[in-house]
Amino acid sequence: MIKDNVELICNIGELSDLFREKSDVRGFLQKVVKTVSGHMKADVCSIYLYDEYLDRLILEATEGLNPELIGKLILTPGEGLVGTSMKELRSILEKNGQEHPQFKAIPGSGEEKYQAFLAVPILRGLTRIGVLVLQHQQPGFFNKNDMMAFKAIASQLAATLENAKLLMGVSKKPEAPRKVESVSLIKGQAVVGGIGIGNAYVVESGKKDGFYSGLPQSCIDASEEDFAQALSQTEEQLQLLQAEMEEKLSDVGSLIFSTHLLMLRDSSFVGKMEEDIRSGVSPCDAIITRVEYFLKIFSESDNPRLQEKVQDIRDLGHRLLRNLAGESQDSGDYSGQILVARELLPSELVKITAQHVEGLVLYSQGASAHITILAKSLGVPLVYTDDKRLFSLYTGTLLILDGLQGNLLINPNEESLQQFSKLKEDRALARESEDQVCSETYTLDRERIHLRATVNLISDIKTAVRMKAEGIGLYRSEFPFLIRNSFPSEEEQYLVYKKIFDGMDHPVITLRALDIGGDKILSYVPGSEEENPFLGLRAIRFLLENKKVFVGQLKAMIRAGQGRDFRIMFPLISSLDDFRQARRMVEKSIEFLKRDGFDCDTVPDLGVMIELPSAVMMAEDLAREADFISVGSNDLVQYLLGVDRTNEKVSGLYDPRHPAVLRTLARIASAAEQENCALSICGNMTFNREMIYFLVGLGVRNFSMPPVQIPEMQKFLNSVNVKAAEKDSRCLLEMNSLEDIHSYLEAAVSKQTEK
Ligand code: PEP
Ligand code: MG
């Protein structure tokens, strides 16, 4: 049989022309494999395209192999002969491919009968495009000349195939979600408990990301009238969401959908879509083209504030397309979807929660303490994972997110679905019975303990009241700052703080001054990128460098607290001098307020957060001058042990039971006692039974914790015998090994609960 290689090489130009005429990319690829196999007299010709992001080769066209594998046969570079050709960037010519040690049989492909094998990598400069493969039943059918010709074909086709590859990413064709190869469980870290059941929505900035995938035919066929209808429906939905947010999340929800609403009225966005539609472009294409255009501009912008809008544009495009398809009333939102993302901004988290997302899976390296805190307050199940296979998931894949165990089940079977749906319902019922909590907490031997609420969002106050929290031990004031695009004005802050006082009538309301820096970066503050942000211009250091911001916040807090007992505390204090400067700022703020005609009869108590080893060493002096001290245990453990609290890789080393932590806590407790200064503890340690037991043994009586933890901690404390706790704490302070402390604490705590 004579192969007409030369003629084939000449025909490549013809194929490229054909590509320009055809809108169906897969059809074009199929034409290529058919033509090439015909000219080369091959039994099989296949094209695998390389997805650099997933780092996978995907079979996109084949003549001769089972066509059902198209889009489903996925190989890693290095896997089988095709993968090896890509990984090592070399052609592979084998008389009998199946005898090669790297050959990998693909069940169901039908390739068992083909022996001769020829693969060439397709490259554009250094860019990997994919692999072109020929197979034939007759061993040794291909020779070196064929290989040379095939290489020439691959290089001529490279540019066209690259275009095809790009278009595949934005194909509007509805497509069944592709299954991830063998992954059925991804393990991660449980961050926010709860169960989510839904379809994956995989977001990758600047990547094909499912924005277009799974569009129903009704969307593709929509008319100009449908577009107008979708537009007004989208605007209505967004107005409604905005109003809901103002009501429910007044501190962080204000104007949160403003970008969406502005874009909807923008002539360069919707105006241009309308223009395109009038000139004959389909509404679906007009939306996609415009959204793509803005995604590109925003994601490539040097301005981080524009980059932050990428998800807004994507959301809006998504919503417009769903409405165009005439889907259900809440179409366009995230109901029934689990968001899979590399990272997320706080404002994005608030928006997707408002749009009813089922759960979140985030890549650990994009993890941050404030996203965790915010997700907890918003009650969205969240799992972090550093498993890269997360990004081989496709939008639409059915998932179960188990935020209790930190597991992600992919394409679960019916049995798992039933089991987790039941668990989800049971948890909802259990939450209703949580209200069986007493307004005062006592230990078994009637020692009084105060359980206060840690509040992140104003909406937490409702829960705090329901859980009968004894005041607020920590209000983290940074979220209204993190969500907005610029510093909130004094008036805006005043309204937020006023809501706190209105929401909880209790003498202990503790507002913390702004703690930004570290992993809480305000994109609108120039130069906020730092090499070592946790050791940089964070918290009180930032405030003392930015006195206008500091005074603005203090004035708003003091105005809101008039007529009430309240407290202000300063984060990350490292010296007496820091505290004195902060106190001076409070005095100045009062002076300014009085000068502006405000009555300032109520002066807050001022407190120091002990979070740094330097503050521990100064604990007696700080306790002498401050009205109260509060241990920020999350940071104290981080700075004392030198372990980044957000870094999953060292999370095993982040252990509050470390003997150094126990001894540090003992030192702080005795400084507070010696100076007769009120002491409280906040941070995650407060809802860890072993740690709260140890702390009670040290004499600590005030704890601030997320309100949802109060019932469980109250129940535990009810079983604690203080005398026993004191004795155990003394023993623990004598110990110098983590292992010994672990087993001692475990035994001591179970002894308390057994009784
Ligand atoms: C802490 O460090 O324990 C604390 C409560 O502050 P944050 O977690 O907000 O840093
Ligand atoms: Mg802290």
Side-chain angles (χ1 to χ4, degrees), residues 355-375:
Q355 297 175 82
H356 316 112
V357 76
E358 267 287 309
L360 288 174
V361 193
L362 295 181
Y363 192 53
S364 301
Q365 275 156 29
S368 71
H370 61 276
I371 283 292
T372 308
I373 290 166
L374 197 55

Side-chain angles (χ1 to χ4, degrees), residues 655 657 690 732 737-747:
D655 193 334
R657 297 163 297 179
E690 295 180 357
L732 284 157
S737 127
L738 256 170
E739 213 180 311
D740 293 347
I741 294 175
H742 284 182
S743 39
Y744 190 96
L745 260 177
E746 200 182 319

Side-chain angles (χ1 to χ4, degrees), residues 373 474 476 478 512 515 520 538 609 611 631-636 645 682-683:
I373 290 166
L474 162 65
R476 289 188 168 104
E478 36 283 352
R512 176 172 76 183
D515 180 3
K520 301 171 208 160
R538 187 188 159 188
M609 285 191 81
E611 302 186 287
V631 175
S633 63
N634 300 337
D635 277 315
L636 184 64
R645 64 192 259 193
C682 52

Side-chain angles (χ1 to χ4, degrees), residues 189 364 386 637-638 641-655:
Q189 182 197 353
S364 301
D386 54 8
V637 173
Q638 151 165 279
L641 302 183
V643 181
D644 181 345
R645 64 192 259 193
T646 64
N647 184 343
E648 179 57 16
K649 286 200 195 110
V650 286
S651 62
L653 301 174
Y654 187 98
D655 193 334

